[in-house]
């Protein structure tokens, strides 16, 4: 099976959010499972030069963009076992960041979407499935419908994955129509038109064969008016084609046992001992009082309303009233940045505001904190709670989207649960669950440690999520024999080579064991007898291996002298091999 991931970003080349993590990790895992998965994204100017230097130029074409033609080059790079294609066009991708104003981005990603399809024959890669991601690749299923006159494109299936429904690629109707350069047939209310504008994500959702989201709960939520962002009716109409698959995280990048960015490495067995050292070092680095008994709560996030910081702002005084230390890392809305700076100044012994983003600092916070706060208004999936579980940091979340799917609320009667959660988007409920978590932390330490153990035992690696993606692709294409392309032949050959020796070795081992057992029985049965035979080697001068001739001759003479005339020559011949072994042993002992 061949799968092409079309995305506007992919780690480590360019990343602004969770989409970059998904596109950078999931395809590589799919390849390990026998799927020929590849990734295609724009060749942004902001991609680090170290990666550009490794890229290989393949070819270029020119694409019709309504009344104009645009150059589209393509480069290739293999990274972590996965093939990445980069679409080159300086006019569109020469900025210092991947995203800009919406009217510029719409034209830019319409070009990219058309280039993805147009370059496939040049790449000599015909995917069975094109997995589109968010509105930036929404035009791909629409363009694919216009490419059906070409047999090359017939039968290609598409999946539209929604990472955040809030962003839809909505812009002026006439300008989108002009840039896309396709028939008026596609610009009707049941297709691309959306309240007198054009909506690129809607177009992708209409024409994609499957619509997926990044968690099961979010898949259901977006069919409601509250979370549907105006597209809930369309999603409800396509109910049977919508599925939710929780994102995973890279268990290589996020591994407390090998993480070089944290102060002290630890495992699930040593977390209760070594996590304390990470906590003490972080407190010291951030200027907080070093107190191993004080509950430390971490926040690593974009500082926006979506992430629930209006609830946090409303309860700041209570959060800083005592009993815990709080550390915040991130950037976002100015009002929240200034709010946290103020409280860091007001309560320097219990609140730390790190208004920037640092990957290294985020690793330290996940490893050092006792709890992690995520009171999101909505959360399609969320990665921070998965990382927290991996690092033995107990998540405190609101029950929405992926947070509800991945954090099991603690049940003090059964001991089950991996964190704490509250249902309604309410500041008082948030504080109530925080106080409850503090009670467990301070007064029932064994239960708190049990929650940590439960969290570190769950598996939210891409290995689990990739299987669900494969099932979706299989249902869509009917292709079930995965080891068919690219990586598969290697795996098949390996299995054949490994299987044959195992089978032969096993049979030979059994045969040898039977022979040894038979010989042992015969030898055991004859051991009490004293057998006297003539020298089986004939004349002593003609002995086969006269390396220790003197010892052997002496032994042979003694053996011959002690014989009786009752022994028959036939018996001597029958037991010749045994006598040889015995003679050898006697010569060694003598």
């Amino acid at each position: 099976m061949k799968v092409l991931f079309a995305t506007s970003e992919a780690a480590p080349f360019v990343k602004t959010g969770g989409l970059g993590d998904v596109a950078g990790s999931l395809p590589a895992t799919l390849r390990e499972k026998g799927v020929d998965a590849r990734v295609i994204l724009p060749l942004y100017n902001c991609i680090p030069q170290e990666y550009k230097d490794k890229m290989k130029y393949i070819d270029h074409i020119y694409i019709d963009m309504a009344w104009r033609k645009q150059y589209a080059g393509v480069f290739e790079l293999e990274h972590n076992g996965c093939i990445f294609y980069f679409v080159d066009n300086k006019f569109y991708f020469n900025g210092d960041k991947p995203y800009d104003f919406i009217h510029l981005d719409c034209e830019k990603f319409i070009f990219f979407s058309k280039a993805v399809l147009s370059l496939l024959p040049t790449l000599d890669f015909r995917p069975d499935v094109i997995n589109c991601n968010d509105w930036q690749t929404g035009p791909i299923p629409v363009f694919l419908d216009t490419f059906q006159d070409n047999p090359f494109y017939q039968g290609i299936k598409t999946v539209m994955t929604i990472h955040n429904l809030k962003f839809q690629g909505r812009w002026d109707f006439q300008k989108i129509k002009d840039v896309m350069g396709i028939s008026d047939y596609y610009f009707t209310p049941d297709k691309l038109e959306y309240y007198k504008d054009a909506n690129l994500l809607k177009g992708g959702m209409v024409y994609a064969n499957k619509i997926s989201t990044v968690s099961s709960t979010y898949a259901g939520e977006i069919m409601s008016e509250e979370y549907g962002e105006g597209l809930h009716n369309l999603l409800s109409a396509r109910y049977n084609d919508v599925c939710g698959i929780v994102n995973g995280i890279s268990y290589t990048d996020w591994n407390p046992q090998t993480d070089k960015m944290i102060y002290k490495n630890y495992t699930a067995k040593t977390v209760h001992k070594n996590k304390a050292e990470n906590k003490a070092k972080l407190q010291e680095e951030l200027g907080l009082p070093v107190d191993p008994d004080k509950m430390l709560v971490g926040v690593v996030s974009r500082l926006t309303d979506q992430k629930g910081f209006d609830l946090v702002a409303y309860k700041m005084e209570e959060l800083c009233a005592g009993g815990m230390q709080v550390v915040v890392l991130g950037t976002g809305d100015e009002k929240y940045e200034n709010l946290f700076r103020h409280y860091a100044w007001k309560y320097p012994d219990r609140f730390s505001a790190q208004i920037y983003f640092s990957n290294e600092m985020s690793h330290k916070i996940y490893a050092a904190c006792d709890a992690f706060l995520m009171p999101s208004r909505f959360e399609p999936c969320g990665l921070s709670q998965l990382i927290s579980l991996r690092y033995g940091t107990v998540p405190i979340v609101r029950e929405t989207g992926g947070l509800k799917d991945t954090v099991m609320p603690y049940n003090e009667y059964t001991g089950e649960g991996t964190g704490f959660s509250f249902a309604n988007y309410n500041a008082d409920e948030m504080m109530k669950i925080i106080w409850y978590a503090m009670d467990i932390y301070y007064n029932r330490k064994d239960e708190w440690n049990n929650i940590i153990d439960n969290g570190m035992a769950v598996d939210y690696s891409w290995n689990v999520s990739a299987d669900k993606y494969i099932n979706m692709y299989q249902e869509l294409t009917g292709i079930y024999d995965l080891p068919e392309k690219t990586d598969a032949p290697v795996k098949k050959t390996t299995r054949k080579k490994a299987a044959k020796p195992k089978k032969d070795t096993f049979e030979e081992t059994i045969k040898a064991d039977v022979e040894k057992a038979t010989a042992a029985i015969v030898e055991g049965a004859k051991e009490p007898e004293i057998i006297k035979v003539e020298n089986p080697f004939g004349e002593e001068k003609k002995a086969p291996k006269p390396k220790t001739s003197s010892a052997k001759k002496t032994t042979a003479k003694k053996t011959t002298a002690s014989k009786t005339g009752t022994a028959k020559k036939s018996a001597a011949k029958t037991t010749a091999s045994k006598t040889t072994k015995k003679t050898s042993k006697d010569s060694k002992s003598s």
Side-chain angles (χ1 to χ4, degrees):
M1 182 188 297
K2 295 182 178 180
V3 176
L4 181 67
F5 255 72
T7 177
S8 60
E9 58 182 83
F13 312 106
V14 58
K15 171 189 167 183
T16 64
L19 172 58
D21 290 313
V22 174
S25 302
L26 176 57
T29 307
L30 291 172
R31 290 182 71 86
E32 293 173 1
K33 294 178 175 291
V35 177
D36 185 1
R38 308 184 187 187
V39 184
I40 189 165
L41 68 155
L43 182 56
Y44 299 110
N45 183 54
C46 59
I47 292 177
Q49 189 63 40
E50 61 178 297
Y51 297 116
K52 292 180 181 179
D53 293 339
K54 298 176 184 177
M55 294 179 188
K56 180 179 71 175
Y57 169 77
I58 298 179
D59 206 343
H60 73 274
I61 60 174
Y62 286 88
I63 298 173
D64 291 326
M65 291 289 290
W67 47 267
R68 52 198 175 275
K69 288 184 180 290
Q70 284 286 0
Y71 159 87
V74 60
F75 290 76
E76 179 183 337
L77 173 64
E78 184 173 342
H79 181 75
N80 287 342
C82 186
I83 296 175
F84 290 82
Y85 297 115
F86 298 84
V87 177
D88 179 37
N89 182 289
K90 298 300 182 184
F91 178 75
Y92 289 119
F93 306 132
N94 204 39
D96 295 330
K97 53 186 178 180
Y99 309 120
D100 209 325
F101 297 106
I102 185 62
H103 66 285
L104 298 176
D105 283 348
C106 283
E107 180 175 344
K108 173 167 59 180
F109 290 111
I110 288 172
F111 162 78
F112 172 68
S113 296
K114 193 168 186 177
V116 168
L117 294 173
S118 302
L119 285 166
L120 289 179
T122 303
L123 298 173
D124 193 24
F125 180 72
R126 184 189 178 279
D128 300 299
V129 179
I130 301 177
N131 196 321
C132 309
N133 293 274
D134 279 346
W135 73 264
Q136 290 90 345
T137 54
I140 290 179
V142 182
F143 279 130
L144 184 61
D145 190 69
T146 69
F147 280 36
Q148 292 305 300
D149 291 340
N150 188 333
F152 178 88
Y153 296 96
Q154 295 173 6
I156 296 178
K157 305 295 184 181
T158 53
V159 174
M160 190 73 241
T161 300
I162 302 170
H163 297 266
N164 194 332
L165 190 60
K166 188 177 182 66
F167 306 105
Q168 301 177 5
R170 180 178 174 182
W171 191 36
D172 182 83
F173 181 85
Q174 287 299 328
K175 292 180 179 178
I176 290 284
K177 184 178 177 181
D178 172 64
V179 173
M180 293 190 73
I182 56 179
S183 169
D184 292 347
Y185 168 79
Y186 296 95
F187 293 91
T188 57
D190 61 330
K191 299 180 182 71
L192 279 165
E193 185 181 344
Y194 181 80
Y195 295 102
K196 297 183 179 180
D197 283 334
N199 188 315
L200 299 180
L201 179 62
K202 180 187 175 186
M205 291 165 58
V206 169
Y207 280 94
N209 300 102
K210 278 276 189 181
I211 301 171
S212 71
T213 66
V214 289
S215 71
S216 298
T217 297
Y218 189 63
E221 288 177 341
I222 59 178
M223 294 184 192
S224 67
E225 187 174 357
E226 181 181 1
Y227 295 98
E229 301 292 345
L231 296 174
H232 55 284
N233 290 328
L234 170 59
L235 287 160
S236 297
R238 297 209 59 188
Y239 174 83
N240 292 328
D241 297 320
V242 178
C243 66
I245 302 174
V246 172
N247 282 341
I249 58 173
S250 170
Y251 271 31
T252 301
D253 296 337
W254 298 101
N255 186 354
Q257 185 175 359
T258 59
D259 194 338
K260 296 180 180 180
M261 299 183 192
I262 65 178
Y263 305 102
K264 179 76 172 179
N265 294 117
Y266 57 90
T267 65
K269 293 182 179 180
T270 61
V271 59
H272 304 300
K273 177 182 178 182
N274 293 344
K275 193 175 177 68
E277 184 173 337
N278 284 280
K279 180 178 179 179
K281 293 287 188 180
L282 182 66
Q283 289 172 327
E284 182 180 353
E285 181 174 342
L286 299 182
L288 296 170
V290 178
D291 187 348
D293 298 324
K294 183 76 71 174
M295 184 176 181
L296 182 62
V297 179
V299 174
V300 179
S301 175
R302 287 184 293 110
L303 308 181
T304 63
D305 289 338
Q306 178 203 331
K307 299 298 183 178
F309 287 107
D310 50 344
L311 301 185
V312 175
Y314 187 70
K315 291 293 183 178
M316 280 299 293
E317 285 294 341
E318 291 186 42
L319 285 169
C320 297
M324 72 173 77
Q325 294 175 339
V326 181
V327 53
V328 175
L329 173 67
T331 61
D333 294 349
E334 187 177 357
K335 61 181 179 180
Y336 295 126
E337 291 183 355
N338 292 333
L339 175 73
F340 295 142
R341 287 192 184 103
H342 169 75
Y343 276 92
W345 165 81
K346 187 176 182 180
Y347 300 108
D349 61 330
R350 65 195 72 171
F351 195 92
S352 175
Q354 307 299 310
I355 309 303
Y356 60 92
F357 183 75
S358 164
N359 186 43
E360 181 178 353
M361 179 55 70
S362 70
H363 280 248
K364 292 178 178 179
I365 290 175
Y366 287 122
C369 288
D370 300 299
F372 193 90
L373 181 62
M374 288 186 72
S376 302
R377 182 188 297 271
F378 69 93
E379 194 68 61
C381 178
L383 298 178
S384 292
Q385 82 279 11
L386 305 182
I387 299 170
S388 297
L389 292 170
R390 175 74 165 153
Y391 280 71
T393 301
V394 179
I396 303 173
V397 304
R398 179 175 171 252
E399 296 174 3
T400 182
L403 300 180
K404 184 176 181 179
D405 290 343
T406 57
V407 178
M408 181 180 180
Y410 175 61
N411 185 327
E412 61 181 52
Y413 301 103
T414 65
E416 298 175 319
T418 58
F420 300 88
S421 63
F422 61 102
N424 297 309
Y425 194 71
N426 181 282
D428 290 325
E429 281 197 32
M430 179 189 72
M431 282 308 305
K432 183 178 179 180
I433 200 66
I434 291 175
W435 295 134
Y436 177 57
M438 290 177 65
D439 177 61
I440 301 294
Y441 177 81
Y442 285 114
N443 301 322
R444 291 177 271 179
K445 203 67 176 181
D446 290 340
E447 295 182 35
W448 183 268
N449 290 336
N450 182 56
I451 297 172
I452 293 175
D453 294 337
N454 292 342
M456 296 191 76
V458 297
D459 186 358
Y460 285 113
S461 66
W462 275 115
N463 185 57
V464 176
S465 300
D467 288 334
K468 297 180 181 179
Y469 272 93
I470 291 173
N471 291 336
M472 178 178 65
Y473 299 148
Q474 289 175 332
E475 292 176 5
L476 193 58
T477 63
I479 300 174
Y480 290 89
D481 50 339
L482 290 181
E484 179 185 8
K485 311 288 183 181
T486 305
D487 294 336
V490 178
K491 291 186 177 181
K492 281 187 174 181
T493 304
T494 303
R495 287 175 186 166
K496 286 181 180 178
K497 287 181 179 179
K500 287 183 179 178
K502 285 183 179 179
K503 186 176 180 182
D504 294 341
T505 302
F506 179 74
E507 290 178 353
E508 290 176 359
T509 302
I510 293 298
K511 185 178 179 181
D513 286 345
V514 172
E515 292 175 352
K516 288 179 181 179
T518 303
I521 292 172
V522 174
E523 186 176 357
K526 295 182 179 181
E527 187 175 357
E529 300 178 6
I530 299 176
I531 301 174
K532 300 177 182 179
V533 297
E534 294 180 357
N535 185 3
F537 302 103
E539 294 183 5
E540 295 171 358
K541 294 182 180 180
K542 297 180 180 180
K545 294 181 180 180
K547 290 184 179 180
T548 54
S549 55
S550 59
K552 289 183 179 179
K553 287 177 183 178
T554 303
T555 306
K557 288 178 180 179
K558 290 181 179 180
T559 304
T560 306
S562 62
K563 287 193 301 178
T564 61
T566 58
K568 296 181 180 180
K569 291 183 180 181
S570 58
K573 291 180 181 179
T574 304
T575 58
S577 61
K578 181 179 174 181
T579 307
T580 303
K581 294 179 181 178
K582 188 173 181 182
T583 302
S584 177
K585 290 180 181 179
D586 291 342
S587 65
K588 288 180 182 179
S589 62
S590 63

